[in-house]
Amino acid sequence: MEMMRGVLLLALLYCGATITTAAKLPDTFLKCKRTDYENVCLKHAVEKALKAMKNGIPSLQLLPIDPLAVTKISIEEGANQPITVKLDLLNAELTGLYGVEVVSASYNLSQRIFDVEVFLPSLNLVGDYDMDGKFLLLPLKGKGKCNLTLSKFKANFLLKARDIKKKNDIYWDITSITLGIHDVSNFHVNFENLFNGDKALGDTTNKALNDNWEEFWGVIRPSIEQAFGDVFAHVANIIFSRVPEKNLFVSTS
Ligand SMILES: *[C@@H]1O[C@H](CO)[C@@H](O)[C@H](O)[C@H]1NC(C)=O
Ligand SMILES: *[C@@H]1O[C@H](CO)[C@@H](O)[C@H](O)[C@H]1NC(C)=O
């Protein structure tokens, strides 16, 4: 059987004209020494940076990340499997990123590899949906408002970057990001207006999805990981494309 997967995500992250001069990190960020390659300083620096991005960073033209405006996530998973999901999430708002706690952070500077593990108490997405598929013996079909909550989970980010030279400075350019979401304690969903508003069938379906959340989450997880990984690569690139490498660390001179 063929496994089908597709994902597309568009989030609004930055605005305005391109910044052409080398920017500094905002004062709300914490800088580490180049030699602080593991935990302590780096862990605090990453957590502070994520929290500082809550309402956006005007000097870097970064829009707010909590709530984060997500224009579209398209999920297509499990064709011809017992669980098949074709789900578009549109005009959505993602809240909860501010609650992030960084569990560990390390990098290998010479290799330009960063490894960050975070814990999130809760991440909530509210928006419009359009769904078609099947869940075990139940059909999944509807279009309306939805509310999805992923509770208490860990996420691992592995970022790889390369150097690019602009004017006289070196900047980091993220070339790949791998996101793994694990240790999820619950995934709660509410899809309004399933089956053209048939309340009994809608309630039964939402209950089945919530009673068997591990199966439902398991199927859509790869798409969500890819979509959120892409968002974080964009966020990181907004900062790294504007702040040269030399301004990311405590100056040693
Ligand atoms: C970074 O990676 C290189 C090559 O694999 C290795 O020799 C070096 O020890 C690593 N540095 C750290 C700080 O782990
Ligand atoms: C979404 O659902 C959660 C419970 O799972 C609830 O606390 C929250 O108020 C809901 N949000 C909206 C906008 O309906």
Side-chain angles (χ1 to χ4, degrees):
M1 269 184 259
E2 278 290 299
M3 171 73 174
M4 203 157 122
R5 172 173 305 159
V7 64
L8 167 80
L9 181 136
L10 297 168
L12 295 174
L13 289 166
Y14 61 95
C15 56
T18 332
I19 296 177
T20 49
T21 51
K24 289 196 165 69
L25 277 184
D27 294 339
T28 44
F29 280 46
L30 173 73
K31 285 194 206 178
C32 299
K33 294 185 201 134
R34 279 170 203 276
T35 47
D36 291 336
Y37 55 84
E38 223 173 353
N39 286 322
V40 201
C41 182
L42 191 60
K43 193 174 122 171
H44 288 129
V46 174
E47 191 165 308
K48 264 195 111 167
L50 289 168
K51 295 206 185 267
M53 289 190 265
K54 183 184 190 300
N55 298 317
I57 301 173
S59 66
L60 299 178
Q61 296 174 343
L62 179 73
L63 290 178
I65 64 159
D66 191 4
L68 176 71
V70 177
T71 42
K72 184 171 185 180
I73 299 180
S74 283
I75 295 168
E76 205 168 327
E77 294 279 3
N80 305 317
Q81 304 287 323
I83 302 175
T84 303
V85 183
K86 202 170 168 298
L87 173 64
D88 280 346
L89 300 167
L90 306 152
N91 315 315
E93 207 170 68
L94 187 70
T95 45
L97 286 171
Y98 185 71
V100 69
E101 288 166 35
V102 177
V103 178
S104 66
S106 61
Y107 56 61
N108 186 317
L109 215 47
S110 61
Q111 302 265 43
R112 302 284 189 253
I113 294 176
F114 307 81
D115 203 338
V116 177
E117 182 175 54
V118 302
F119 168 78
L120 271 160
S122 170
L123 201 57
N124 176 251
L125 186 140
V126 172
D128 300 326
Y129 80 94
D130 189 344
M131 180 163 64
D132 200 355
K134 64 181 192 312
F135 185 70
L136 308 171
L137 297 172
L138 289 169
L140 292 176
K141 199 165 179 51
K143 193 174 165 151
K145 299 270 173 213
C146 70
N147 179 349
L148 319 178
T149 307
L150 194 62
S151 302
K152 293 201 193 100
F153 63 93
K154 283 187 180 160
N156 274 91
F157 293 89
L158 186 70
L159 275 85
K160 293 185 184 164
R162 64 180 175 132
D163 287 354
I164 49 171
K165 200 166 179 210
K166 285 188 281 184
K167 303 231 169 108
N168 292 318
D169 289 313
I170 302 289
Y171 291 78
W172 286 343
D173 174 45
I174 305 290
T175 51
S176 83
I177 187 163
T178 313
L179 168 64
I181 296 178
H182 53 99
D183 294 345
V184 174
S185 64
N186 192 35
F187 181 52
H188 187 269
V189 302
N190 184 41
F191 293 101
E192 285 179 15
N193 199 47
L194 282 164
F195 312 103
N196 286 317
D198 181 321
K199 179 147 171 37
L201 211 48
D203 288 352
T204 306
T205 304
N206 277 308
K207 187 173 184 317
L209 291 172
N210 287 314
D211 287 348
N212 303 283
W213 68 267
E214 280 171 288
E215 281 72 22
F216 188 52
W217 167 249
V219 170
I220 66 169
R221 186 179 67 128
S223 287
I224 298 285
E225 287 174 338
Q226 197 182 324
F228 290 169
D230 288 348
V231 169
F232 279 94
H234 283 299
V235 170
N237 268 331
I238 287 173
I239 295 170
F240 293 148
S241 68
R242 286 156 196 191
V243 182
E245 195 262 3
K246 65 172 192 204
N247 290 353
L248 294 170
F249 297 95
V250 172
S251 150
T252 44
S253 56

